[in-house]
Amino acid sequence: SYELTQPLSVSVALGQTARITCGGNNIGSKSVHWYQQKPGQAPVLVIYRDSNRPSGIPERFAGSNSGNTATLTISRAQAGDEADYYCQVWDNTFFVFGPGTKVTVL
Amino acid sequence: QLQLQESGPGLVKPSETLSLTCTVSGGSISTSSYYWGWIRQPPGKGLEWIGSIYYSGSTYYNPSLKSRVTISVDTSKNQFSLKLSSVTAADTAVFYCARSGVDTPMVDAFDIWGQGTMVPVSS
């Protein structure tokens, strides 16, 4: 089965840029989606199909995907961006989620 | 605005069957544009997709759970349901229902989620 890898945690200073990676074999050939989950809340889709933002998601959230790594970039990080972030792909006949990355804003 | 709401018993005993229902409001479940899925999250852990269903009844499941999972749809009630049999403490989790696109711009992404419901498995 297809596996995704993510760093366990990422720290970013307030106002700086955070980059969260999602690794997978030739992931660049797949569409990658990203979710933000705050404590006690359901996940929220923040990036779909590698680099597209749903309505209401700030432009500070951006995505890219190439080779074996997809990346979620959060620019001008705010305290409210502190959350767990999950990448997700569709592989043949099932959905796969990454293990999640906890983002801490310092 | 489309909303999803999970419902079901708050506690399940080991070896029994966990049953949950997701009610769709603000839109029809009988659309060719979406699949309807279940995802779970054990306490302090990540997300795990359980399975999804189309309004026609077509299903696909996570291979790791397939032998214990049944997902069904009731279009007359605008609901879909999850049954997970022979549960153990390892099945304790928050269960979410969510919508994923088929032929939409957000294809294969879960764009709308329910709030989730915690289901402990304990005697």
Side-chain angles (χ1 to χ4, degrees), chain B residues 81-112:
Chain B
S81 298
L82 167 70
K83 290 188 185 298
L84 179 64
S85 64
S86 305
V87 297
T88 69
D91 293 309
T92 293
V94 175
F95 288 78
Y96 296 99
C97 57
R99 181 183 83 169
S100 63
V102 175
D103 59 359
T104 69
M106 300 184 192
V107 60
D108 295 333
F110 293 99
D111 64 337
I112 297 179

PDB file of all heavy atoms in Angstrom, chain B residues 81-112:
ATOM      1  N   SER B  81     -24.472   5.237   6.553  1.00  0.00           N
ATOM      2  CA  SER B  81     -24.186   4.621   7.843  1.00  0.00           C
ATOM      3  C   SER B  81     -22.932   3.762   7.804  1.00  0.00           C
ATOM      4  O   SER B  81     -22.521   3.285   6.744  1.00  0.00           O
ATOM      5  CB  SER B  81     -25.376   3.762   8.287  1.00  0.00           C
ATOM      6  OG  SER B  81     -26.529   4.552   8.454  1.00  0.00           O
ATOM      7  N   LEU B  82     -22.385   3.576   8.987  1.00  0.00           N
ATOM      8  CA  LEU B  82     -21.182   2.769   9.173  1.00  0.00           C
ATOM      9  C   LEU B  82     -21.463   1.689  10.199  1.00  0.00           C
ATOM     10  O   LEU B  82     -22.061   1.960  11.251  1.00  0.00           O
ATOM     11  CB  LEU B  82     -20.033   3.650   9.690  1.00  0.00           C
ATOM     12  CG  LEU B  82     -18.784   2.919  10.228  1.00  0.00           C
ATOM     13  CD1 LEU B  82     -18.019   2.254   9.092  1.00  0.00           C
ATOM     14  CD2 LEU B  82     -17.887   3.895  10.996  1.00  0.00           C
ATOM     15  N   LYS B  83     -21.048   0.474   9.890  1.00  0.00           N
ATOM     16  CA  LYS B  83     -21.044  -0.600  10.881  1.00  0.00           C
ATOM     17  C   LYS B  83     -19.643  -1.190  10.935  1.00  0.00           C
ATOM     18  O   LYS B  83     -19.073  -1.547   9.898  1.00  0.00           O
ATOM     19  CB  LYS B  83     -22.062  -1.690  10.535  1.00  0.00           C
ATOM     20  CG  LYS B  83     -23.510  -1.252  10.685  1.00  0.00           C
ATOM     21  CD  LYS B  83     -24.460  -2.414  10.518  1.00  0.00           C
ATOM     22  CE  LYS B  83     -25.916  -1.953  10.534  1.00  0.00           C
ATOM     23  NZ  LYS B  83     -26.283  -1.320  11.827  1.00  0.00           N
ATOM     24  N   LEU B  84     -19.096  -1.271  12.139  1.00  0.00           N
ATOM     25  CA  LEU B  84     -17.774  -1.847  12.361  1.00  0.00           C
ATOM     26  C   LEU B  84     -17.947  -2.962  13.387  1.00  0.00           C
ATOM     27  O   LEU B  84     -18.315  -2.706  14.535  1.00  0.00           O
ATOM     28  CB  LEU B  84     -16.804  -0.782  12.879  1.00  0.00           C
ATOM     29  CG  LEU B  84     -15.372  -1.238  13.172  1.00  0.00           C
ATOM     30  CD1 LEU B  84     -14.676  -1.690  11.896  1.00  0.00           C
ATOM     31  CD2 LEU B  84     -14.573  -0.112  13.846  1.00  0.00           C
ATOM     32  N   SER B  85     -17.689  -4.194  12.973  1.00  0.00           N
ATOM     33  CA  SER B  85     -17.973  -5.344  13.819  1.00  0.00           C
ATOM     34  C   SER B  85     -16.765  -5.756  14.661  1.00  0.00           C
ATOM     35  O   SER B  85     -15.634  -5.342  14.405  1.00  0.00           O
ATOM     36  CB  SER B  85     -18.423  -6.526  12.952  1.00  0.00           C
ATOM     37  OG  SER B  85     -17.368  -6.937  12.095  1.00  0.00           O
ATOM     38  N   SER B  86     -17.059  -6.577  15.669  1.00  0.00           N
ATOM     39  CA  SER B  86     -16.002  -7.175  16.510  1.00  0.00           C
ATOM     40  C   SER B  86     -15.011  -6.144  17.013  1.00  0.00           C
ATOM     41  O   SER B  86     -13.799  -6.319  16.886  1.00  0.00           O
ATOM     42  CB  SER B  86     -15.272  -8.276  15.727  1.00  0.00           C
ATOM     43  OG  SER B  86     -16.170  -9.237  15.233  1.00  0.00           O
ATOM     44  N   VAL B  87     -15.535  -5.083  17.602  1.00  0.00           N
ATOM     45  CA  VAL B  87     -14.645  -3.988  18.019  1.00  0.00           C
ATOM     46  C   VAL B  87     -13.826  -4.364  19.249  1.00  0.00           C
ATOM     47  O   VAL B  87     -14.232  -5.203  20.061  1.00  0.00           O
ATOM     48  CB  VAL B  87     -15.441  -2.694  18.287  1.00  0.00           C
ATOM     49  CG1 VAL B  87     -16.118  -2.214  17.012  1.00  0.00           C
ATOM     50  CG2 VAL B  87     -16.441  -2.896  19.406  1.00  0.00           C
ATOM     51  N   THR B  88     -12.673  -3.723  19.355  1.00  0.00           N
ATOM     52  CA  THR B  88     -11.815  -3.845  20.535  1.00  0.00           C
ATOM     53  C   THR B  88     -11.473  -2.442  21.002  1.00  0.00           C
ATOM     54  O   THR B  88     -11.835  -1.452  20.353  1.00  0.00           O
ATOM     55  CB  THR B  88     -10.525  -4.611  20.209  1.00  0.00           C
ATOM     56  OG1 THR B  88      -9.711  -3.799  19.346  1.00  0.00           O
ATOM     57  CG2 THR B  88     -10.820  -5.944  19.538  1.00  0.00           C
ATOM     58  N   ALA B  89     -10.723  -2.360  22.081  1.00  0.00           N
ATOM     59  CA  ALA B  89     -10.327  -1.044  22.600  1.00  0.00           C
ATOM     60  C   ALA B  89      -9.539  -0.255  21.564  1.00  0.00           C
ATOM     61  O   ALA B  89      -9.565   0.980  21.564  1.00  0.00           O
ATOM     62  CB  ALA B  89      -9.516  -1.227  23.871  1.00  0.00           C
ATOM     63  N   ALA B  90      -8.859  -0.952  20.673  1.00  0.00           N
ATOM     64  CA  ALA B  90      -8.082  -0.275  19.625  1.00  0.00           C
ATOM     65  C   ALA B  90      -8.962   0.472  18.627  1.00  0.00           C
ATOM     66  O   ALA B  90      -8.461   1.286  17.846  1.00  0.00           O
ATOM     67  CB  ALA B  90      -7.219  -1.283  18.883  1.00  0.00           C
ATOM     68  N   ASP B  91     -10.248   0.195  18.642  1.00  0.00           N
ATOM     69  CA  ASP B  91     -11.174   0.902  17.742  1.00  0.00           C
ATOM     70  C   ASP B  91     -11.728   2.184  18.364  1.00  0.00           C
ATOM     71  O   ASP B  91     -12.484   2.905  17.714  1.00  0.00           O
ATOM     72  CB  ASP B  91     -12.331  -0.020  17.351  1.00  0.00           C
ATOM     73  CG  ASP B  91     -11.888  -1.188  16.483  1.00  0.00           C
ATOM     74  OD1 ASP B  91     -11.196  -0.929  15.477  1.00  0.00           O
ATOM     75  OD2 ASP B  91     -12.218  -2.339  16.817  1.00  0.00           O
ATOM     76  N   THR B  92     -11.362   2.461  19.591  1.00  0.00           N
ATOM     77  CA  THR B  92     -11.777   3.713  20.241  1.00  0.00           C
ATOM     78  C   THR B  92     -11.242   4.896  19.440  1.00  0.00           C
ATOM     79  O   THR B  92     -10.041   4.982  19.172  1.00  0.00           O
ATOM     80  CB  THR B  92     -11.242   3.790  21.678  1.00  0.00           C
ATOM     81  OG1 THR B  92     -11.885   2.787  22.468  1.00  0.00           O
ATOM     82  CG2 THR B  92     -11.495   5.160  22.288  1.00  0.00           C
ATOM     83  N   ALA B  93     -12.127   5.785  19.042  1.00  0.00           N
ATOM     84  CA  ALA B  93     -11.706   6.889  18.174  1.00  0.00           C
ATOM     85  C   ALA B  93     -12.806   7.938  18.057  1.00  0.00           C
ATOM     86  O   ALA B  93     -13.960   7.691  18.424  1.00  0.00           O
ATOM     87  CB  ALA B  93     -11.370   6.363  16.775  1.00  0.00           C
ATOM     88  N   VAL B  94     -12.433   9.078  17.515  1.00  0.00           N
ATOM     89  CA  VAL B  94     -13.410  10.033  17.000  1.00  0.00           C
ATOM     90  C   VAL B  94     -13.695   9.621  15.559  1.00  0.00           C
ATOM     91  O   VAL B  94     -12.761   9.416  14.776  1.00  0.00           O
ATOM     92  CB  VAL B  94     -12.881  11.473  17.039  1.00  0.00           C
ATOM     93  CG1 VAL B  94     -13.880  12.419  16.380  1.00  0.00           C
ATOM     94  CG2 VAL B  94     -12.615  11.901  18.482  1.00  0.00           C
ATOM     95  N   PHE B  95     -14.962   9.483  15.239  1.00  0.00           N
ATOM     96  CA  PHE B  95     -15.373   9.092  13.898  1.00  0.00           C
ATOM     97  C   PHE B  95     -15.968  10.313  13.191  1.00  0.00           C
ATOM     98  O   PHE B  95     -16.867  10.977  13.716  1.00  0.00           O
ATOM     99  CB  PHE B  95     -16.389   7.956  13.960  1.00  0.00           C
ATOM    100  CG  PHE B  95     -15.776   6.634  14.359  1.00  0.00           C
ATOM    101  CD1 PHE B  95     -15.467   6.368  15.681  1.00  0.00           C
ATOM    102  CD2 PHE B  95     -15.503   5.671  13.395  1.00  0.00           C
ATOM    103  CE1 PHE B  95     -14.885   5.155  16.044  1.00  0.00           C
ATOM    104  CE2 PHE B  95     -14.929   4.455  13.754  1.00  0.00           C
ATOM    105  CZ  PHE B  95     -14.620   4.192  15.085  1.00  0.00           C
ATOM    106  N   TYR B  96     -15.450  10.571  11.988  1.00  0.00           N
ATOM    107  CA  TYR B  96     -15.936  11.675  11.172  1.00  0.00           C
ATOM    108  C   TYR B  96     -16.605  11.134   9.912  1.00  0.00           C
ATOM    109  O   TYR B  96     -16.129  10.147   9.328  1.00  0.00           O
ATOM    110  CB  TYR B  96     -14.788  12.571  10.713  1.00  0.00           C
ATOM    111  CG  TYR B  96     -14.031  13.291  11.804  1.00  0.00           C
ATOM    112  CD1 TYR B  96     -12.826  12.808  12.278  1.00  0.00           C
ATOM    113  CD2 TYR B  96     -14.516  14.494  12.331  1.00  0.00           C
ATOM    114  CE1 TYR B  96     -12.113  13.478  13.255  1.00  0.00           C
ATOM    115  CE2 TYR B  96     -13.811  15.175  13.313  1.00  0.00           C
ATOM    116  CZ  TYR B  96     -12.611  14.655  13.771  1.00  0.00           C
ATOM    117  OH  TYR B  96     -11.909  15.335  14.740  1.00  0.00           O
ATOM    118  N   CYS B  97     -17.663  11.789   9.489  1.00  0.00           N
ATOM    119  CA  CYS B  97     -18.155  11.556   8.134  1.00  0.00           C
ATOM    120  C   CYS B  97     -17.747  12.770   7.296  1.00  0.00           C
ATOM    121  O   CYS B  97     -17.620  13.890   7.822  1.00  0.00           O
ATOM    122  CB  CYS B  97     -19.657  11.306   8.094  1.00  0.00           C
ATOM    123  SG  CYS B  97     -20.723  12.597   8.784  1.00  0.00           S
ATOM    124  N   ALA B  98     -17.533  12.542   6.014  1.00  0.00           N
ATOM    125  CA  ALA B  98     -17.021  13.613   5.157  1.00  0.00           C
ATOM    126  C   ALA B  98     -17.394  13.344   3.704  1.00  0.00           C
ATOM    127  O   ALA B  98     -17.662  12.206   3.313  1.00  0.00           O
ATOM    128  CB  ALA B  98     -15.502  13.725   5.304  1.00  0.00           C
ATOM    129  N   ARG B  99     -17.382  14.426   2.914  1.00  0.00           N
ATOM    130  CA  ARG B  99     -17.718  14.344   1.499  1.00  0.00           C
ATOM    131  C   ARG B  99     -16.457  14.470   0.658  1.00  0.00           C
ATOM    132  O   ARG B  99     -15.608  15.323   0.929  1.00  0.00           O
ATOM    133  CB  ARG B  99     -18.683  15.489   1.151  1.00  0.00           C
ATOM    134  CG  ARG B  99     -19.156  15.528  -0.270  1.00  0.00           C
ATOM    135  CD  ARG B  99     -20.048  16.731  -0.523  1.00  0.00           C
ATOM    136  NE  ARG B  99     -19.268  17.934  -0.803  1.00  0.00           N
ATOM    137  CZ  ARG B  99     -19.812  19.070  -1.262  1.00  0.00           C
ATOM    138  NH1 ARG B  99     -21.096  19.157  -1.455  1.00  0.00           N
ATOM    139  NH2 ARG B  99     -19.034  20.123  -1.487  1.00  0.00           N
ATOM    140  N   SER B 100     -16.350  13.646  -0.376  1.00  0.00           N
ATOM    141  CA  SER B 100     -15.223  13.778  -1.301  1.00  0.00           C
ATOM    142  C   SER B 100     -15.734  13.881  -2.724  1.00  0.00           C
ATOM    143  O   SER B 100     -16.727  13.249  -3.092  1.00  0.00           O
ATOM    144  CB  SER B 100     -14.258  12.593  -1.170  1.00  0.00           C
ATOM    145  OG  SER B 100     -14.892  11.384  -1.522  1.00  0.00           O
ATOM    146  N   GLY B 101     -15.059  14.696  -3.514  1.00  0.00           N
ATOM    147  CA  GLY B 101     -15.493  14.970  -4.874  1.00  0.00           C
ATOM    148  C   GLY B 101     -15.162  13.855  -5.852  1.00  0.00           C
ATOM    149  O   GLY B 101     -14.165  13.156  -5.714  1.00  0.00           O
ATOM    150  N   VAL B 102     -16.035  13.681  -6.840  1.00  0.00           N
ATOM    151  CA  VAL B 102     -15.820  12.689  -7.905  1.00  0.00           C
ATOM    152  C   VAL B 102     -15.447  13.401  -9.200  1.00  0.00           C
ATOM    153  O   VAL B 102     -14.417  13.127  -9.785  1.00  0.00           O
ATOM    154  CB  VAL B 102     -17.091  11.842  -8.123  1.00  0.00           C
ATOM    155  CG1 VAL B 102     -16.895  10.901  -9.317  1.00  0.00           C
ATOM    156  CG2 VAL B 102     -17.431  11.060  -6.872  1.00  0.00           C
ATOM    157  N   ASP B 103     -16.297  14.297  -9.634  1.00  0.00           N
ATOM    158  CA  ASP B 103     -16.007  15.038 -10.860  1.00  0.00           C
ATOM    159  C   ASP B 103     -16.105  16.532 -10.613  1.00  0.00           C
ATOM    160  O   ASP B 103     -16.662  17.275 -11.421  1.00  0.00           O
ATOM    161  CB  ASP B 103     -16.956  14.603 -11.977  1.00  0.00           C
ATOM    162  CG  ASP B 103     -18.421  14.823 -11.599  1.00  0.00           C
ATOM    163  OD1 ASP B 103     -18.679  15.301 -10.469  1.00  0.00           O
ATOM    164  OD2 ASP B 103     -19.291  14.553 -12.428  1.00  0.00           O
ATOM    165  N   THR B 104     -15.571  16.942  -9.490  1.00  0.00           N
ATOM    166  CA  THR B 104     -15.559  18.351  -9.114  1.00  0.00           C
ATOM    167  C   THR B 104     -14.119  18.849  -9.099  1.00  0.00           C
ATOM    168  O   THR B 104     -13.199  18.037  -9.151  1.00  0.00           O
ATOM    169  CB  THR B 104     -16.160  18.535  -7.706  1.00  0.00           C
ATOM    170  OG1 THR B 104     -15.258  17.950  -6.746  1.00  0.00           O
ATOM    171  CG2 THR B 104     -17.515  17.836  -7.585  1.00  0.00           C
ATOM    172  N   PRO B 105     -13.899  20.146  -8.986  1.00  0.00           N
ATOM    173  CA  PRO B 105     -12.521  20.645  -8.901  1.00  0.00           C
ATOM    174  C   PRO B 105     -11.752  20.047  -7.737  1.00  0.00           C
ATOM    175  O   PRO B 105     -10.548  19.846  -7.800  1.00  0.00           O
ATOM    176  CB  PRO B 105     -12.709  22.151  -8.737  1.00  0.00           C
ATOM    177  CG  PRO B 105     -14.007  22.436  -9.401  1.00  0.00           C
ATOM    178  CD  PRO B 105     -14.868  21.250  -9.105  1.00  0.00           C
ATOM    179  N   MET B 106     -12.450  19.729  -6.634  1.00  0.00           N
ATOM    180  CA  MET B 106     -11.783  19.171  -5.469  1.00  0.00           C
ATOM    181  C   MET B 106     -11.855  17.651  -5.490  1.00  0.00           C
ATOM    182  O   MET B 106     -12.085  17.007  -4.456  1.00  0.00           O
ATOM    183  CB  MET B 106     -12.427  19.710  -4.189  1.00  0.00           C
ATOM    184  CG  MET B 106     -12.341  21.220  -4.070  1.00  0.00           C
ATOM    185  SD  MET B 106     -12.994  21.817  -2.499  1.00  0.00           S
ATOM    186  CE  MET B 106     -13.083  23.573  -2.828  1.00  0.00           C
ATOM    187  N   VAL B 107     -11.638  17.082  -6.676  1.00  0.00           N
ATOM    188  CA  VAL B 107     -11.768  15.636  -6.808  1.00  0.00           C
ATOM    189  C   VAL B 107     -10.828  14.922  -5.848  1.00  0.00           C
ATOM    190  O   VAL B 107      -9.664  15.277  -5.695  1.00  0.00           O
ATOM    191  CB  VAL B 107     -11.502  15.207  -8.272  1.00  0.00           C
ATOM    192  CG1 VAL B 107     -10.104  15.599  -8.727  1.00  0.00           C
ATOM    193  CG2 VAL B 107     -11.737  13.735  -8.474  1.00  0.00           C
ATOM    194  N   ASP B 108     -11.386  13.909  -5.150  1.00  0.00           N
ATOM    195  CA  ASP B 108     -10.653  13.062  -4.214  1.00  0.00           C
ATOM    196  C   ASP B 108     -10.186  13.781  -2.964  1.00  0.00           C
ATOM    197  O   ASP B 108      -9.357  13.247  -2.220  1.00  0.00           O
ATOM    198  CB  ASP B 108      -9.454  12.385  -4.880  1.00  0.00           C
ATOM    199  CG  ASP B 108      -9.886  11.422  -5.961  1.00  0.00           C
ATOM    200  OD1 ASP B 108     -11.011  10.885  -5.874  1.00  0.00           O
ATOM    201  OD2 ASP B 108      -9.103  11.211  -6.902  1.00  0.00           O
ATOM    202  N   ALA B 109     -10.697  14.964  -2.709  1.00  0.00           N
ATOM    203  CA  ALA B 109     -10.405  15.674  -1.455  1.00  0.00           C
ATOM    204  C   ALA B 109     -11.657  15.700  -0.610  1.00  0.00           C
ATOM    205  O   ALA B 109     -12.776  15.805  -1.128  1.00  0.00           O
ATOM    206  CB  ALA B 109      -9.934  17.098  -1.735  1.00  0.00           C
ATOM    207  N   PHE B 110     -11.478  15.647   0.696  1.00  0.00           N
ATOM    208  CA  PHE B 110     -12.609  15.720   1.616  1.00  0.00           C
ATOM    209  C   PHE B 110     -12.865  17.195   1.938  1.00  0.00           C
ATOM    210  O   PHE B 110     -12.156  17.793   2.749  1.00  0.00           O
ATOM    211  CB  PHE B 110     -12.313  14.923   2.882  1.00  0.00           C
ATOM    212  CG  PHE B 110     -12.205  13.440   2.652  1.00  0.00           C
ATOM    213  CD1 PHE B 110     -10.971  12.831   2.520  1.00  0.00           C
ATOM    214  CD2 PHE B 110     -13.347  12.655   2.556  1.00  0.00           C
ATOM    215  CE1 PHE B 110     -10.869  11.473   2.294  1.00  0.00           C
ATOM    216  CE2 PHE B 110     -13.260  11.286   2.337  1.00  0.00           C
ATOM    217  CZ  PHE B 110     -12.013  10.694   2.198  1.00  0.00           C
ATOM    218  N   ASP B 111     -13.869  17.765   1.292  1.00  0.00           N
ATOM    219  CA  ASP B 111     -14.058  19.209   1.411  1.00  0.00           C
ATOM    220  C   ASP B 111     -15.043  19.618   2.500  1.00  0.00           C
ATOM    221  O   ASP B 111     -15.013  20.762   2.946  1.00  0.00           O
ATOM    222  CB  ASP B 111     -14.472  19.803   0.063  1.00  0.00           C
ATOM    223  CG  ASP B 111     -15.812  19.284  -0.422  1.00  0.00           C
ATOM    224  OD1 ASP B 111     -16.241  18.178   0.004  1.00  0.00           O
ATOM    225  OD2 ASP B 111     -16.440  19.978  -1.240  1.00  0.00           O
ATOM    226  N   ILE B 112     -15.895  18.720   2.918  1.00  0.00           N
ATOM    227  CA  ILE B 112     -16.828  19.028   4.000  1.00  0.00           C
ATOM    228  C   ILE B 112     -16.814  17.862   4.987  1.00  0.00           C
ATOM    229  O   ILE B 112     -16.928  16.701   4.591  1.00  0.00           O
ATOM    230  CB  ILE B 112     -18.253  19.270   3.476  1.00  0.00           C
ATOM    231  CG1 ILE B 112     -18.272  20.490   2.556  1.00  0.00           C
ATOM    232  CG2 ILE B 112     -19.223  19.491   4.647  1.00  0.00           C
ATOM    233  CD1 ILE B 112     -19.631  20.794   1.956  1.00  0.00           C
TER     234      ILE B 112
END
